[in-house]
Amino acid sequence: MKYLLLINASATPSGEVEGCTPADWMAYDQEVRDAGIMVAGESLADLVTATVVKVDEGGHRTVTDGPFAETREVLGGFYVIDVPDLDAALDWAARCPGSRGGGNIVVRPVADFD
């Protein structure tokens, strides 16, 4: 079954993720690949590159540059993994460096419409 691991990391003022190093991320990424469970995964660009789009009831689009809320938690990226069950997905989420230092990993099953 496919699961999304949505990485909400606690960022430091320098933009680094609190509680882990780039080497930690590379090691985790390699673990996921070596286990053969990797479906997809990406790291997102810096939060200041974000653009927010809202459409009102009349169809009018509003576009806002940059982050929409002041928070120390940032959406850092995601993995989609294919594992037997939720317990396995939770185990992989707990290993993710983004779960450290005040961050968290949201685990959600990927809908299958077949």
Side-chain angles (χ1 to χ4, degrees):
M1 181 163 197
K2 292 179 185 165
Y3 289 90
L4 170 69
L5 306 183
L6 192 60
I7 303 164
N8 294 306
S10 181
T12 63
S14 68
E16 295 293 318
V17 175
E18 192 175 300
C20 61
T21 67
D24 293 331
W25 286 103
M26 290 187 297
Y28 180 75
D29 193 70
Q30 192 61 51
E31 268 188 84
V32 171
R33 291 176 191 281
D34 290 348
I37 63 169
M38 176 80 152
V39 174
E42 296 292 339
S43 177
L44 300 177
D46 192 279
L47 184 59
V48 297
T49 64
T51 304
V52 177
V53 177
K54 292 183 181 183
V55 178
D56 65 22
E57 290 180 15
H60 178 11
R61 179 177 75 174
T62 303
V63 178
T64 307
D65 290 334
F68 58 92
E70 266 194 54
T71 178
R72 285 185 39 89
E73 186 177 88
V74 295
L75 176 58
F78 69 92
Y79 283 91
V80 177
I81 59 174
D82 194 351
V83 293
D85 54 35
L86 178 60
D87 287 336
L90 295 174
D91 287 342
W92 281 100
R95 295 180 197 180
C96 183
S99 65
R100 302 178 201 155
N104 65 74
I105 309 299
V106 176
V107 179
R108 293 186 61 182
V110 174
D112 183 5
F113 295 106
D114 287 336

